[in-house]
Amino acid sequence: MKIAITGATGQLGRLVVADLKAANTGNDIIALVRSADKAADLGVNVRIANYDEPDTLLTALAGVDIVLLISGSEIGKRVPQHRAVIEAAQQNDVKHIVYTSLLNADSSTLSLAAEHKQTEALIKESGLTYTLLRNGWYTENYTASLPAALQAGALVGSAGEGRISSASRADYAAAAVTVLKEIAAQSSHENRTYELAGDTAYTLADLAAEAGKQVGQSLPFQNLPANEFARILASAGLPEAFATLLADVDLEVEKGALFHEGRALSQLIGRPTTTLSDSVAAALAK
Ligand SMILES: NC(=O)c1ccc[n+]([C@@H]2O[C@H](COP(=O)([O-])OP(=O)(O)OC[C@H]3O[C@@H](n4cnc5c(N)ncnc54)[C@H](OP(=O)(O)O)[C@@H]3O)[C@@H](O)[C@H]2O)c1
């Protein structure tokens, strides 16, 4: 079987390619990328596939049996971009499309959910056989700010006591690889939707306490109004719109938007999801 992965030079895509390669399943792995230079070290076949250039997608999906569509990173442009991939898959008679969506995409209060919900609808309307991997938050989204928090003496955010069932990128990549392998081997996971999240939820105060414990210093969590948090993120160099988006995510997190107890992720990957302690250690080792 020919398995193609979009966004293969991204952080999640690289993990998927590496895991699938390591699994030695005998399937052909095709990395779909917009920059061949960035893909030189992937060690698999590479084809150019730019979401903004439908012709490249048509060519890139020729002969492909299964495509993993890793959602694009350009917020606001993703519906037409994903539509172009879905249409190219239809025109190439791709047998199965797997899409990395968002936890509870159809009911989520996160503003990010809208594009995922629309993409899911396009996939269902396309008639393609599909699997929806509704990924929760990456733990790395939060642990990335720990070094700066330790320097500042406090972790700041706006998620209050909200519980976060995040998992590592490696966990979500492992789930994608499991699904791709099983689809290739026995056409499974047909038209299934999985809500994927970490096994053990934590609050931002738990995260701060764990980081403090690991470095032997007290690290309090300070909850801030969203506009103040956004201002701090922007002053740290994030584009203003993205800073506001992240602060708004925190407000929804406080209400439970990233909490999930389903454990479908650990069931799919056959092991517990990465612990908070391991994720914190990985972030602090960087
Ligand atoms: N669950 C979460 O917490 C979370 C957080 C952030 C994002 N996400 C979503 O999950 C996706 C994967 O996460 P990630 O960490 O791997 O993100 P990432 O490192 O930013 O990777 C995004 C990938 O999309 C590719 N891409 C962007 N625009 C493209 C275009 N026009 N044509 C073709 N490829 C394009 C990028 O290509 P280049 O390598 O050439 O840049 C990159 O490979 C993100 O794109 C986003 O949709 C999820």
Side-chain angles (χ1 to χ4, degrees):
M1 290 269 185
K2 284 194 187 328
I3 304 176
I5 296 138
T6 73
T9 46
Q11 299 166 89
L12 183 68
R14 282 186 172 275
L15 293 170
V16 171
V17 169
D19 283 8
L20 200 51
K21 229 171 79 176
N24 260 323
T25 55
N27 295 296
D28 283 346
I29 305 169
I30 303 167
L32 302 182
V33 305
R34 57 179 167 174
S35 155
D37 288 351
K38 273 181 82 175
D41 60 336
L42 289 177
V44 297
N45 291 321
V46 171
R47 294 184 185 174
I48 296 297
N50 190 321
Y51 298 150
D52 294 325
E53 295 170 13
D55 286 353
T56 64
L57 300 170
L58 261 186
T59 309
L61 288 180
V64 165
D65 299 294
I66 305 165
V67 62
L68 171 64
L69 169 54
I70 293 185
S71 51
S73 48
E74 294 174 279
I75 296 165
K77 286 178 68 179
R78 295 187 290 184
V79 174
Q81 290 181 332
H82 295 165
R83 181 188 290 117
V85 178
I86 295 161
E87 287 177 357
Q90 278 178 301
Q91 289 177 46
N92 278 296
D93 293 322
V94 166
K95 296 189 180 78
H96 201 130
I97 184 167
V98 180
Y99 173 62
T100 62
S101 184
L102 178 71
L103 185 69
N104 294 321
D106 48 353
S107 61
S108 175
T109 55
L110 296 181
S111 60
L112 288 167
E115 288 176 303
H116 291 291
K117 189 176 169 184
Q118 288 176 64
T119 302
E120 289 190 357
L122 290 172
I123 288 172
K124 288 179 180 173
E125 283 161 20
S126 75
L128 290 163
T129 300
Y130 65 84
T131 306
L132 303 177
L133 301 177
R134 289 182 170 170
N135 290 350
W137 219 229
Y138 301 147
T139 307
E140 290 90 337
N141 297 343
Y142 281 122
T143 56
S145 56
L146 288 176
L150 283 162
Q151 227 172 6
L155 176 70
V156 293
S158 299
E161 292 295 302
R163 294 172 71 204
I164 304 159
S165 310
S166 69
S168 68
R169 274 194 189 83
D171 295 332
Y172 296 113
V177 168
T178 298
V179 163
L180 291 170
K181 280 191 322 197
E182 292 178 1
I183 291 169
Q186 62 219 21
S187 303
S188 44
H189 305 290
E190 291 184 347
N191 303 337
R192 299 280 305 273
T193 299
Y194 295 99
E195 305 289 353
L196 302 181
D199 290 340
T200 309
Y202 60 90
T203 64
L204 291 184
D206 296 334
L207 173 65
E210 178 60 34
K213 190 175 94 187
Q214 291 194 18
V215 299
Q217 125 186 11
S218 150
L219 184 69
F221 166 61
Q222 193 182 353
N223 200 50
L224 297 175
N227 57 355
E228 205 175 315
F229 180 40
R231 198 177 40 74
I232 290 173
L233 291 174
S235 66
L238 284 193
E240 214 162 295
F242 193 54
T244 303
L245 185 144
L246 288 183
D248 288 345
V249 166
D250 260 17
L251 286 182
E252 297 309 317
V253 170
E254 184 169 23
K255 298 180 225 154
L258 291 176
F259 177 69
H260 203 271
E261 292 182 293
R263 300 201 169 205
L265 178 52
S266 48
Q267 279 161 25
L268 264 183
I269 64 183
R271 59 165 172 80
T273 56
T274 307
T275 61
L276 182 63
S277 152
D278 284 352
S279 292
V280 167
L284 297 181
K286 281 189 178 162

